Amino acid sequence: MQEFLATSERRAELYWWFSTLFASELSDEQIAEYDSYDVRSFLKSLATLDPMREAVTELNDAIARLLVRPDRQLELAADFAALFLGDAKLGVPPYESLFCGDQRLLMQAPTARMEARLARLGISVSDKYKEPADHLAIELDLMGNLIIRAAEAGDADGREQWLDEQESLLHEHLLAWVPAFEAECRAKDAFGFYGACARLLGVFLTMDANYLTLVKPAR
């Protein structure tokens, strides 16, 4: 049980970290943290996992370029805006509905499904995010919350319920569109920081899906 709790905390932290990356532009203080011992150790620990090694190396290379980039905060903010806030043809807005939506329904189906999921779970994100419910940062943030709920469950049935919720969100939403988002982000991010982040996220989601398969009780 202690191992499950420790792994849950680690998983939630990763989901929330990725959520922060895609939620808004990084400040100069946040960028500076990537040159700190804590962040270097964090990425080094991820690189010990074989599937993540190459993606972490790519991100470390992008971070090294970022730290010496002139006007790094302004330039990275411009990258963020061009990729995630602009035209969908030139950038890659991080909304599930743009990748899995029904054009006849104005691409709202994934948004409506996420709104229904949040309502069913009794989770409100309106005070934290000013985005539609199918935004990547919201889906990642929700996964972190579901992981903590599983860790805090009082019994095996409650824990399995929250593991089911994680698996459902992962397969019905994130894994249904993030691979396509990752490919576009890598193709359109000339500097490479967000492309490397998207690649690492894609690897992590696949690994996490495998973890859930292993940790859930046999039917």
Side-chain angles (χ1 to χ4, degrees), residues 1 4-5 8-9 11-12 16 117-124 141-155 157-163 165-166:
M1 187 61 185
F4 175 76
L5 293 175
S8 295
E9 183 177 341
R11 291 174 61 225
W16 287 330
R117 183 181 294 272
L118 289 165
R120 176 174 58 80
L121 295 171
I123 295 176
S124 175
D141 187 274
L142 177 57
M143 272 295 291
N145 282 284
L146 296 178
I147 291 167
I148 295 303
R149 291 194 178 194
E152 294 177 346
D155 54 40
D157 288 342
R159 188 159 54 250
E160 184 173 0
Q161 173 195 341
W162 291 113
L163 289 171
E165 291 287 353
Q166 294 170 44

PDB file of all heavy atoms in Angstrom, residues 1 4-5 8-9 11-12 16 117-124 141-155 157-163 165-166:
ATOM      1  N   MET A   1       0.821  -1.206   0.000  1.00  0.00           N
ATOM      2  CA  MET A   1       0.000   0.000   0.000  1.00  0.00           C
ATOM      3  C   MET A   1       0.860   1.263   0.000  1.00  0.00           C
ATOM      4  O   MET A   1       0.538   2.246  -0.668  1.00  0.00           O
ATOM      5  CB  MET A   1      -0.927   0.002   1.221  1.00  0.00           C
ATOM      6  CG  MET A   1      -1.922   1.136   1.220  1.00  0.00           C
ATOM      7  SD  MET A   1      -3.030   1.100  -0.204  1.00  0.00           S
ATOM      8  CE  MET A   1      -3.938   2.607   0.029  1.00  0.00           C
ATOM      9  N   PHE A   4       1.947   1.977  -3.446  1.00  0.00           N
ATOM     10  CA  PHE A   4       0.862   2.546  -4.241  1.00  0.00           C
ATOM     11  C   PHE A   4       0.694   4.031  -3.932  1.00  0.00           C
ATOM     12  O   PHE A   4       0.517   4.851  -4.848  1.00  0.00           O
ATOM     13  CB  PHE A   4      -0.447   1.800  -3.958  1.00  0.00           C
ATOM     14  CG  PHE A   4      -1.638   2.391  -4.651  1.00  0.00           C
ATOM     15  CD1 PHE A   4      -1.849   2.184  -6.009  1.00  0.00           C
ATOM     16  CD2 PHE A   4      -2.551   3.166  -3.945  1.00  0.00           C
ATOM     17  CE1 PHE A   4      -2.949   2.736  -6.658  1.00  0.00           C
ATOM     18  CE2 PHE A   4      -3.654   3.723  -4.578  1.00  0.00           C
ATOM     19  CZ  PHE A   4      -3.855   3.506  -5.936  1.00  0.00           C
ATOM     20  N   LEU A   5       0.749   4.398  -2.668  1.00  0.00           N
ATOM     21  CA  LEU A   5       0.595   5.798  -2.283  1.00  0.00           C
ATOM     22  C   LEU A   5       1.728   6.651  -2.837  1.00  0.00           C
ATOM     23  O   LEU A   5       1.499   7.755  -3.352  1.00  0.00           O
ATOM     24  CB  LEU A   5       0.539   5.919  -0.759  1.00  0.00           C
ATOM     25  CG  LEU A   5      -0.688   5.311  -0.074  1.00  0.00           C
ATOM     26  CD1 LEU A   5      -0.550   5.407   1.435  1.00  0.00           C
ATOM     27  CD2 LEU A   5      -1.960   5.996  -0.547  1.00  0.00           C
ATOM     28  N   SER A   8       1.304   6.991  -6.556  1.00  0.00           N
ATOM     29  CA  SER A   8       0.179   7.878  -6.845  1.00  0.00           C
ATOM     30  C   SER A   8       0.597   9.339  -6.721  1.00  0.00           C
ATOM     31  O   SER A   8       0.253  10.174  -7.567  1.00  0.00           O
ATOM     32  CB  SER A   8      -0.994   7.583  -5.897  1.00  0.00           C
ATOM     33  OG  SER A   8      -1.508   6.296  -6.115  1.00  0.00           O
ATOM     34  N   GLU A   9       1.335   9.640  -5.671  1.00  0.00           N
ATOM     35  CA  GLU A   9       1.805  11.012  -5.490  1.00  0.00           C
ATOM     36  C   GLU A   9       2.699  11.436  -6.649  1.00  0.00           C
ATOM     37  O   GLU A   9       2.583  12.553  -7.163  1.00  0.00           O
ATOM     38  CB  GLU A   9       2.555  11.138  -4.167  1.00  0.00           C
ATOM     39  CG  GLU A   9       3.022  12.553  -3.869  1.00  0.00           C
ATOM     40  CD  GLU A   9       3.704  12.671  -2.520  1.00  0.00           C
ATOM     41  OE1 GLU A   9       3.517  11.773  -1.673  1.00  0.00           O
ATOM     42  OE2 GLU A   9       4.414  13.674  -2.308  1.00  0.00           O
ATOM     43  N   ARG A  11       2.740  10.172  -9.726  1.00  0.00           N
ATOM     44  CA  ARG A  11       1.941  10.285 -10.952  1.00  0.00           C
ATOM     45  C   ARG A  11       1.170  11.602 -10.975  1.00  0.00           C
ATOM     46  O   ARG A  11       1.121  12.294 -11.988  1.00  0.00           O
ATOM     47  CB  ARG A  11       0.972   9.115 -11.074  1.00  0.00           C
ATOM     48  CG  ARG A  11       1.630   7.772 -11.353  1.00  0.00           C
ATOM     49  CD  ARG A  11       0.596   6.651 -11.298  1.00  0.00           C
ATOM     50  NE  ARG A  11      -0.453   6.844 -12.298  1.00  0.00           N
ATOM     51  CZ  ARG A  11      -1.754   6.692 -12.035  1.00  0.00           C
ATOM     52  NH1 ARG A  11      -2.159   6.366 -10.821  1.00  0.00           N
ATOM     53  NH2 ARG A  11      -2.640   6.870 -12.994  1.00  0.00           N
ATOM     54  N   ALA A  12       0.536  11.938  -9.850  1.00  0.00           N
ATOM     55  CA  ALA A  12      -0.236  13.176  -9.782  1.00  0.00           C
ATOM     56  C   ALA A  12       0.661  14.387 -10.027  1.00  0.00           C
ATOM     57  O   ALA A  12       0.286  15.321 -10.751  1.00  0.00           O
ATOM     58  CB  ALA A  12      -0.927  13.289  -8.429  1.00  0.00           C
ATOM     59  N   TRP A  16       0.174  17.157 -13.021  1.00  0.00           N
ATOM     60  CA  TRP A  16       0.020  18.580 -12.715  1.00  0.00           C
ATOM     61  C   TRP A  16       1.155  19.401 -13.324  1.00  0.00           C
ATOM     62  O   TRP A  16       0.942  20.547 -13.731  1.00  0.00           O
ATOM     63  CB  TRP A  16      -0.053  18.773 -11.201  1.00  0.00           C
ATOM     64  CG  TRP A  16      -1.365  18.311 -10.635  1.00  0.00           C
ATOM     65  CD1 TRP A  16      -2.583  18.299 -11.267  1.00  0.00           C
ATOM     66  CD2 TRP A  16      -1.594  17.788  -9.322  1.00  0.00           C
ATOM     67  NE1 TRP A  16      -3.544  17.802 -10.431  1.00  0.00           N
ATOM     68  CE2 TRP A  16      -2.981  17.476  -9.228  1.00  0.00           C
ATOM     69  CE3 TRP A  16      -0.779  17.540  -8.225  1.00  0.00           C
ATOM     70  CZ2 TRP A  16      -3.559  16.945  -8.076  1.00  0.00           C
ATOM     71  CZ3 TRP A  16      -1.354  17.003  -7.077  1.00  0.00           C
ATOM     72  CH2 TRP A  16      -2.728  16.719  -7.007  1.00  0.00           C
ATOM     73  N   ARG A 117     -18.533  14.857 -17.479  1.00  0.00           N
ATOM     74  CA  ARG A 117     -17.667  14.094 -16.576  1.00  0.00           C
ATOM     75  C   ARG A 117     -17.347  14.919 -15.330  1.00  0.00           C
ATOM     76  O   ARG A 117     -17.423  14.420 -14.197  1.00  0.00           O
ATOM     77  CB  ARG A 117     -16.382  13.693 -17.300  1.00  0.00           C
ATOM     78  CG  ARG A 117     -15.440  12.823 -16.480  1.00  0.00           C
ATOM     79  CD  ARG A 117     -14.182  12.493 -17.280  1.00  0.00           C
ATOM     80  NE  ARG A 117     -14.460  11.660 -18.431  1.00  0.00           N
ATOM     81  CZ  ARG A 117     -14.493  10.327 -18.393  1.00  0.00           C
ATOM     82  NH1 ARG A 117     -14.250   9.683 -17.262  1.00  0.00           N
ATOM     83  NH2 ARG A 117     -14.752   9.640 -19.487  1.00  0.00           N
ATOM     84  N   LEU A 118     -16.984  16.168 -15.512  1.00  0.00           N
ATOM     85  CA  LEU A 118     -16.665  17.030 -14.376  1.00  0.00           C
ATOM     86  C   LEU A 118     -17.871  17.202 -13.468  1.00  0.00           C
ATOM     87  O   LEU A 118     -17.743  17.175 -12.242  1.00  0.00           O
ATOM     88  CB  LEU A 118     -16.172  18.392 -14.881  1.00  0.00           C
ATOM     89  CG  LEU A 118     -14.788  18.403 -15.535  1.00  0.00           C
ATOM     90  CD1 LEU A 118     -14.573  19.703 -16.303  1.00  0.00           C
ATOM     91  CD2 LEU A 118     -13.694  18.229 -14.495  1.00  0.00           C
ATOM     92  N   ALA A 119     -19.055  17.377 -14.078  1.00  0.00           N
ATOM     93  CA  ALA A 119     -20.273  17.542 -13.280  1.00  0.00           C
ATOM     94  C   ALA A 119     -20.586  16.268 -12.492  1.00  0.00           C
ATOM     95  O   ALA A 119     -20.955  16.331 -11.311  1.00  0.00           O
ATOM     96  CB  ALA A 119     -21.437  17.900 -14.197  1.00  0.00           C
ATOM     97  N   ARG A 120     -20.439  15.115 -13.134  1.00  0.00           N
ATOM     98  CA  ARG A 120     -20.704  13.842 -12.463  1.00  0.00           C
ATOM     99  C   ARG A 120     -19.766  13.628 -11.286  1.00  0.00           C
ATOM    100  O   ARG A 120     -20.159  13.092 -10.238  1.00  0.00           O
ATOM    101  CB  ARG A 120     -20.574  12.697 -13.470  1.00  0.00           C
ATOM    102  CG  ARG A 120     -20.737  11.311 -12.860  1.00  0.00           C
ATOM    103  CD  ARG A 120     -20.749  10.220 -13.921  1.00  0.00           C
ATOM    104  NE  ARG A 120     -19.556  10.214 -14.730  1.00  0.00           N
ATOM    105  CZ  ARG A 120     -18.391   9.679 -14.351  1.00  0.00           C
ATOM    106  NH1 ARG A 120     -18.276   9.127 -13.148  1.00  0.00           N
ATOM    107  NH2 ARG A 120     -17.351   9.696 -15.155  1.00  0.00           N
ATOM    108  N   LEU A 121     -18.517  14.051 -11.440  1.00  0.00           N
ATOM    109  CA  LEU A 121     -17.522  13.866 -10.379  1.00  0.00           C
ATOM    110  C   LEU A 121     -17.596  14.967  -9.325  1.00  0.00           C
ATOM    111  O   LEU A 121     -16.919  14.886  -8.301  1.00  0.00           O
ATOM    112  CB  LEU A 121     -16.116  13.837 -10.993  1.00  0.00           C
ATOM    113  CG  LEU A 121     -15.820  12.666 -11.919  1.00  0.00           C
ATOM    114  CD1 LEU A 121     -14.479  12.872 -12.626  1.00  0.00           C
ATOM    115  CD2 LEU A 121     -15.822  11.347 -11.160  1.00  0.00           C
ATOM    116  N   GLY A 122     -18.400  15.995  -9.597  1.00  0.00           N
ATOM    117  CA  GLY A 122     -18.507  17.093  -8.646  1.00  0.00           C
ATOM    118  C   GLY A 122     -17.260  17.943  -8.570  1.00  0.00           C
ATOM    119  O   GLY A 122     -16.920  18.485  -7.515  1.00  0.00           O
ATOM    120  N   ILE A 123     -16.574  18.091  -9.706  1.00  0.00           N
ATOM    121  CA  ILE A 123     -15.332  18.863  -9.752  1.00  0.00           C
ATOM    122  C   ILE A 123     -15.540  20.101 -10.615  1.00  0.00           C
ATOM    123  O   ILE A 123     -15.989  20.013 -11.755  1.00  0.00           O
ATOM    124  CB  ILE A 123     -14.183  18.013 -10.327  1.00  0.00           C
ATOM    125  CG1 ILE A 123     -13.878  16.841  -9.395  1.00  0.00           C
ATOM    126  CG2 ILE A 123     -12.926  18.870 -10.538  1.00  0.00           C
ATOM    127  CD1 ILE A 123     -12.820  15.883  -9.927  1.00  0.00           C
ATOM    128  N   SER A 124     -15.237  21.250 -10.074  1.00  0.00           N
ATOM    129  CA  SER A 124     -15.335  22.508 -10.816  1.00  0.00           C
ATOM    130  C   SER A 124     -13.944  23.027 -11.124  1.00  0.00           C
ATOM    131  O   SER A 124     -13.060  23.012 -10.269  1.00  0.00           O
ATOM    132  CB  SER A 124     -16.095  23.558  -9.997  1.00  0.00           C
ATOM    133  OG  SER A 124     -16.085  24.809 -10.663  1.00  0.00           O
ATOM    134  N   ASP A 141      -5.014  18.057 -15.410  1.00  0.00           N
ATOM    135  CA  ASP A 141      -5.258  18.425 -14.020  1.00  0.00           C
ATOM    136  C   ASP A 141      -6.271  17.473 -13.386  1.00  0.00           C
ATOM    137  O   ASP A 141      -6.104  17.040 -12.225  1.00  0.00           O
ATOM    138  CB  ASP A 141      -5.763  19.867 -13.948  1.00  0.00           C
ATOM    139  CG  ASP A 141      -5.874  20.376 -12.528  1.00  0.00           C
ATOM    140  OD1 ASP A 141      -6.922  20.148 -11.901  1.00  0.00           O
ATOM    141  OD2 ASP A 141      -4.920  21.001 -12.023  1.00  0.00           O
ATOM    142  N   LEU A 142      -7.298  17.133 -14.145  1.00  0.00           N
ATOM    143  CA  LEU A 142      -8.305  16.206 -13.633  1.00  0.00           C
ATOM    144  C   LEU A 142      -7.695  14.845 -13.339  1.00  0.00           C
ATOM    145  O   LEU A 142      -8.013  14.223 -12.315  1.00  0.00           O
ATOM    146  CB  LEU A 142      -9.445  16.064 -14.645  1.00  0.00           C
ATOM    147  CG  LEU A 142     -10.540  15.053 -14.272  1.00  0.00           C
ATOM    148  CD1 LEU A 142     -11.169  15.388 -12.920  1.00  0.00           C
ATOM    149  CD2 LEU A 142     -11.605  15.005 -15.371  1.00  0.00           C
ATOM    150  N   MET A 143      -6.819  14.354 -14.204  1.00  0.00           N
ATOM    151  CA  MET A 143      -6.161  13.075 -13.944  1.00  0.00           C
ATOM    152  C   MET A 143      -5.411  13.116 -12.622  1.00  0.00           C
ATOM    153  O   MET A 143      -5.456  12.163 -11.827  1.00  0.00           O
ATOM    154  CB  MET A 143      -5.201  12.716 -15.078  1.00  0.00           C
ATOM    155  CG  MET A 143      -5.830  11.955 -16.219  1.00  0.00           C
ATOM    156  SD  MET A 143      -6.436  10.292 -15.779  1.00  0.00           S
ATOM    157  CE  MET A 143      -4.889   9.424 -15.490  1.00  0.00           C
ATOM    158  N   GLY A 144      -4.713  14.200 -12.362  1.00  0.00           N
ATOM    159  CA  GLY A 144      -4.004  14.323 -11.086  1.00  0.00           C
ATOM    160  C   GLY A 144      -4.943  14.225  -9.906  1.00  0.00           C
ATOM    161  O   GLY A 144      -4.645  13.560  -8.904  1.00  0.00           O
ATOM    162  N   ASN A 145      -6.116  14.858 -10.021  1.00  0.00           N
ATOM    163  CA  ASN A 145      -7.093  14.811  -8.933  1.00  0.00           C
ATOM    164  C   ASN A 145      -7.667  13.414  -8.749  1.00  0.00           C
ATOM    165  O   ASN A 145      -7.880  12.956  -7.611  1.00  0.00           O
ATOM    166  CB  ASN A 145      -8.222  15.814  -9.207  1.00  0.00           C
ATOM    167  CG  ASN A 145      -7.815  17.233  -8.881  1.00  0.00           C
ATOM    168  OD1 ASN A 145      -7.752  17.624  -7.724  1.00  0.00           O
ATOM    169  ND2 ASN A 145      -7.514  18.022  -9.900  1.00  0.00           N
ATOM    170  N   LEU A 146      -7.921  12.710  -9.843  1.00  0.00           N
ATOM    171  CA  LEU A 146      -8.446  11.350  -9.748  1.00  0.00           C
ATOM    172  C   LEU A 146      -7.432  10.412  -9.098  1.00  0.00           C
ATOM    173  O   LEU A 146      -7.800   9.499  -8.341  1.00  0.00           O
ATOM    174  CB  LEU A 146      -8.815  10.826 -11.136  1.00  0.00           C
ATOM    175  CG  LEU A 146      -9.941  11.567 -11.867  1.00  0.00           C
ATOM    176  CD1 LEU A 146     -10.157  10.957 -13.251  1.00  0.00           C
ATOM    177  CD2 LEU A 146     -11.233  11.547 -11.059  1.00  0.00           C
ATOM    178  N   ILE A 147      -6.168  10.635  -9.383  1.00  0.00           N
ATOM    179  CA  ILE A 147      -5.108   9.815  -8.782  1.00  0.00           C
ATOM    180  C   ILE A 147      -5.078  10.008  -7.270  1.00  0.00           C
ATOM    181  O   ILE A 147      -4.973   9.040  -6.500  1.00  0.00           O
ATOM    182  CB  ILE A 147      -3.748  10.162  -9.412  1.00  0.00           C
ATOM    183  CG1 ILE A 147      -3.706   9.695 -10.868  1.00  0.00           C
ATOM    184  CG2 ILE A 147      -2.598   9.541  -8.626  1.00  0.00           C
ATOM    185  CD1 ILE A 147      -2.552  10.262 -11.667  1.00  0.00           C
ATOM    186  N   ILE A 148      -5.187  11.249  -6.819  1.00  0.00           N
ATOM    187  CA  ILE A 148      -5.176  11.518  -5.381  1.00  0.00           C
ATOM    188  C   ILE A 148      -6.418  10.939  -4.719  1.00  0.00           C
ATOM    189  O   ILE A 148      -6.353  10.411  -3.599  1.00  0.00           O
ATOM    190  CB  ILE A 148      -5.073  13.033  -5.126  1.00  0.00           C
ATOM    191  CG1 ILE A 148      -3.720  13.556  -5.632  1.00  0.00           C
ATOM    192  CG2 ILE A 148      -5.238  13.344  -3.638  1.00  0.00           C
ATOM    193  CD1 ILE A 148      -2.511  12.871  -5.031  1.00  0.00           C
ATOM    194  N   ARG A 149      -7.552  10.977  -5.395  1.00  0.00           N
ATOM    195  CA  ARG A 149      -8.767  10.392  -4.822  1.00  0.00           C
ATOM    196  C   ARG A 149      -8.617   8.881  -4.636  1.00  0.00           C
ATOM    197  O   ARG A 149      -9.083   8.318  -3.640  1.00  0.00           O
ATOM    198  CB  ARG A 149      -9.974  10.716  -5.700  1.00  0.00           C
ATOM    199  CG  ARG A 149     -10.352  12.191  -5.664  1.00  0.00           C
ATOM    200  CD  ARG A 149     -11.719  12.451  -6.235  1.00  0.00           C
ATOM    201  NE  ARG A 149     -12.067  13.868  -6.150  1.00  0.00           N
ATOM    202  CZ  ARG A 149     -13.298  14.346  -6.319  1.00  0.00           C
ATOM    203  NH1 ARG A 149     -14.299  13.505  -6.559  1.00  0.00           N
ATOM    204  NH2 ARG A 149     -13.540  15.640  -6.242  1.00  0.00           N
ATOM    205  N   ALA A 150      -7.972   8.229  -5.601  1.00  0.00           N
ATOM    206  CA  ALA A 150      -7.723   6.800  -5.461  1.00  0.00           C
ATOM    207  C   ALA A 150      -6.799   6.529  -4.281  1.00  0.00           C
ATOM    208  O   ALA A 150      -7.006   5.578  -3.509  1.00  0.00           O
ATOM    209  CB  ALA A 150      -7.121   6.233  -6.745  1.00  0.00           C
ATOM    210  N   ALA A 151      -5.779   7.359  -4.121  1.00  0.00           N
ATOM    211  CA  ALA A 151      -4.822   7.173  -3.025  1.00  0.00           C
ATOM    212  C   ALA A 151      -5.484   7.383  -1.667  1.00  0.00           C
ATOM    213  O   ALA A 151      -5.095   6.752  -0.671  1.00  0.00           O
ATOM    214  CB  ALA A 151      -3.646   8.122  -3.195  1.00  0.00           C
ATOM    215  N   GLU A 152      -6.493   8.262  -1.620  1.00  0.00           N
ATOM    216  CA  GLU A 152      -7.136   8.591  -0.354  1.00  0.00           C
ATOM    217  C   GLU A 152      -8.372   7.751  -0.081  1.00  0.00           C
ATOM    218  O   GLU A 152      -9.027   7.919   0.954  1.00  0.00           O
ATOM    219  CB  GLU A 152      -7.508  10.080  -0.339  1.00  0.00           C
ATOM    220  CG  GLU A 152      -6.293  11.004  -0.358  1.00  0.00           C
ATOM    221  CD  GLU A 152      -6.669  12.472  -0.424  1.00  0.00           C
ATOM    222  OE1 GLU A 152      -7.859  12.755  -0.735  1.00  0.00           O
ATOM    223  OE2 GLU A 152      -5.803  13.325  -0.175  1.00  0.00           O
ATOM    224  N   ALA A 153      -8.707   6.840  -1.004  1.00  0.00           N
ATOM    225  CA  ALA A 153      -9.892   5.999  -0.816  1.00  0.00           C
ATOM    226  C   ALA A 153      -9.755   5.147   0.433  1.00  0.00           C
ATOM    227  O   ALA A 153      -8.676   4.644   0.759  1.00  0.00           O
ATOM    228  CB  ALA A 153     -10.102   5.120  -2.040  1.00  0.00           C
ATOM    229  N   GLY A 154     -10.873   4.952   1.129  1.00  0.00           N
ATOM    230  CA  GLY A 154     -10.817   4.239   2.396  1.00  0.00           C
ATOM    231  C   GLY A 154     -10.824   2.731   2.287  1.00  0.00           C
ATOM    232  O   GLY A 154     -10.543   2.040   3.268  1.00  0.00           O
ATOM    233  N   ASP A 155     -11.163   2.207   1.113  1.00  0.00           N
ATOM    234  CA  ASP A 155     -11.204   0.752   0.964  1.00  0.00           C
ATOM    235  C   ASP A 155     -10.876   0.377  -0.471  1.00  0.00           C
ATOM    236  O   ASP A 155     -10.736   1.237  -1.346  1.00  0.00           O
ATOM    237  CB  ASP A 155     -12.576   0.191   1.365  1.00  0.00           C
ATOM    238  CG  ASP A 155     -13.722   0.861   0.622  1.00  0.00           C
ATOM    239  OD1 ASP A 155     -13.583   1.122  -0.593  1.00  0.00           O
ATOM    240  OD2 ASP A 155     -14.763   1.137   1.250  1.00  0.00           O
ATOM    241  N   ASP A 157     -12.691  -1.144  -2.756  1.00  0.00           N
ATOM    242  CA  ASP A 157     -13.731  -0.835  -3.739  1.00  0.00           C
ATOM    243  C   ASP A 157     -13.664   0.626  -4.162  1.00  0.00           C
ATOM    244  O   ASP A 157     -13.797   0.945  -5.346  1.00  0.00           O
ATOM    245  CB  ASP A 157     -15.113  -1.147  -3.157  1.00  0.00           C
ATOM    246  CG  ASP A 157     -15.371  -2.641  -3.044  1.00  0.00           C
ATOM    247  OD1 ASP A 157     -14.655  -3.414  -3.710  1.00  0.00           O
ATOM    248  OD2 ASP A 157     -16.284  -3.027  -2.285  1.00  0.00           O
ATOM    249  N   GLY A 158     -13.469   1.502  -3.190  1.00  0.00           N
ATOM    250  CA  GLY A 158     -13.350   2.920  -3.522  1.00  0.00           C
ATOM    251  C   GLY A 158     -12.124   3.198  -4.367  1.00  0.00           C
ATOM    252  O   GLY A 158     -12.170   3.982  -5.313  1.00  0.00           O
ATOM    253  N   ARG A 159     -11.040   2.540  -4.023  1.00  0.00           N
ATOM    254  CA  ARG A 159      -9.808   2.707  -4.797  1.00  0.00           C
ATOM    255  C   ARG A 159      -9.999   2.237  -6.237  1.00  0.00           C
ATOM    256  O   ARG A 159      -9.574   2.917  -7.173  1.00  0.00           O
ATOM    257  CB  ARG A 159      -8.673   1.923  -4.114  1.00  0.00           C
ATOM    258  CG  ARG A 159      -7.305   2.186  -4.715  1.00  0.00           C
ATOM    259  CD  ARG A 159      -6.213   1.813  -3.726  1.00  0.00           C
ATOM    260  NE  ARG A 159      -6.348   0.453  -3.233  1.00  0.00           N
ATOM    261  CZ  ARG A 159      -6.700   0.129  -1.987  1.00  0.00           C
ATOM    262  NH1 ARG A 159      -6.965   1.057  -1.100  1.00  0.00           N
ATOM    263  NH2 ARG A 159      -6.791  -1.150  -1.606  1.00  0.00           N
ATOM    264  N   GLU A 160     -10.663   1.106  -6.404  1.00  0.00           N
ATOM    265  CA  GLU A 160     -10.882   0.590  -7.754  1.00  0.00           C
ATOM    266  C   GLU A 160     -11.797   1.520  -8.554  1.00  0.00           C
ATOM    267  O   GLU A 160     -11.609   1.708  -9.762  1.00  0.00           O
ATOM    268  CB  GLU A 160     -11.487  -0.810  -7.707  1.00  0.00           C
ATOM    269  CG  GLU A 160     -11.643  -1.429  -9.092  1.00  0.00           C
ATOM    270  CD  GLU A 160     -12.094  -2.878  -9.036  1.00  0.00           C
ATOM    271  OE1 GLU A 160     -12.284  -3.402  -7.920  1.00  0.00           O
ATOM    272  OE2 GLU A 160     -12.234  -3.479 -10.111  1.00  0.00           O
ATOM    273  N   GLN A 161     -12.770   2.119  -7.892  1.00  0.00           N
ATOM    274  CA  GLN A 161     -13.659   3.063  -8.575  1.00  0.00           C
ATOM    275  C   GLN A 161     -12.868   4.219  -9.178  1.00  0.00           C
ATOM    276  O   GLN A 161     -13.075   4.600 -10.346  1.00  0.00           O
ATOM    277  CB  GLN A 161     -14.690   3.624  -7.591  1.00  0.00           C
ATOM    278  CG  GLN A 161     -15.541   4.750  -8.175  1.00  0.00           C
ATOM    279  CD  GLN A 161     -16.296   5.521  -7.106  1.00  0.00           C
ATOM    280  OE1 GLN A 161     -16.481   5.034  -5.989  1.00  0.00           O
ATOM    281  NE2 GLN A 161     -16.721   6.725  -7.438  1.00  0.00           N
ATOM    282  N   TRP A 162     -11.934   4.758  -8.392  1.00  0.00           N
ATOM    283  CA  TRP A 162     -11.163   5.904  -8.885  1.00  0.00           C
ATOM    284  C   TRP A 162     -10.119   5.481  -9.904  1.00  0.00           C
ATOM    285  O   TRP A 162      -9.770   6.250 -10.797  1.00  0.00           O
ATOM    286  CB  TRP A 162     -10.532   6.652  -7.714  1.00  0.00           C
ATOM    287  CG  TRP A 162     -11.553   7.337  -6.878  1.00  0.00           C
ATOM    288  CD1 TRP A 162     -11.905   7.041  -5.591  1.00  0.00           C
ATOM    289  CD2 TRP A 162     -12.417   8.407  -7.286  1.00  0.00           C
ATOM    290  NE1 TRP A 162     -12.914   7.858  -5.167  1.00  0.00           N
ATOM    291  CE2 TRP A 162     -13.241   8.709  -6.182  1.00  0.00           C
ATOM    292  CE3 TRP A 162     -12.552   9.149  -8.459  1.00  0.00           C
ATOM    293  CZ2 TRP A 162     -14.202   9.720  -6.228  1.00  0.00           C
ATOM    294  CZ3 TRP A 162     -13.510  10.143  -8.521  1.00  0.00           C
ATOM    295  CH2 TRP A 162     -14.319  10.430  -7.413  1.00  0.00           C
ATOM    296  N   LEU A 163      -9.639   4.251  -9.818  1.00  0.00           N
ATOM    297  CA  LEU A 163      -8.757   3.731 -10.860  1.00  0.00           C
ATOM    298  C   LEU A 163      -9.521   3.567 -12.174  1.00  0.00           C
ATOM    299  O   LEU A 163      -8.993   3.845 -13.254  1.00  0.00           O
ATOM    300  CB  LEU A 163      -8.140   2.400 -10.425  1.00  0.00           C
ATOM    301  CG  LEU A 163      -7.083   2.470  -9.323  1.00  0.00           C
ATOM    302  CD1 LEU A 163      -6.721   1.066  -8.838  1.00  0.00           C
ATOM    303  CD2 LEU A 163      -5.833   3.194  -9.810  1.00  0.00           C
ATOM    304  N   GLU A 165     -12.030   5.421 -13.067  1.00  0.00           N
ATOM    305  CA  GLU A 165     -12.211   6.785 -13.586  1.00  0.00           C
ATOM    306  C   GLU A 165     -10.950   7.258 -14.314  1.00  0.00           C
ATOM    307  O   GLU A 165     -11.021   7.907 -15.362  1.00  0.00           O
ATOM    308  CB  GLU A 165     -12.547   7.744 -12.449  1.00  0.00           C
ATOM    309  CG  GLU A 165     -13.917   7.549 -11.825  1.00  0.00           C
ATOM    310  CD  GLU A 165     -15.045   8.020 -12.738  1.00  0.00           C
ATOM    311  OE1 GLU A 165     -14.765   8.615 -13.802  1.00  0.00           O
ATOM    312  OE2 GLU A 165     -16.215   7.783 -12.373  1.00  0.00           O
ATOM    313  N   GLN A 166      -9.783   6.939 -13.755  1.00  0.00           N
ATOM    314  CA  GLN A 166      -8.533   7.320 -14.409  1.00  0.00           C
ATOM    315  C   GLN A 166      -8.397   6.643 -15.766  1.00  0.00           C
ATOM    316  O   GLN A 166      -8.042   7.275 -16.762  1.00  0.00           O
ATOM    317  CB  GLN A 166      -7.341   6.924 -13.525  1.00  0.00           C
ATOM    318  CG  GLN A 166      -7.248   7.669 -12.210  1.00  0.00           C
ATOM    319  CD  GLN A 166      -6.197   7.065 -11.305  1.00  0.00           C
ATOM    320  OE1 GLN A 166      -5.096   6.746 -11.736  1.00  0.00           O
ATOM    321  NE2 GLN A 166      -6.525   6.908 -10.030  1.00  0.00           N
TER     322      GLN A 166
END
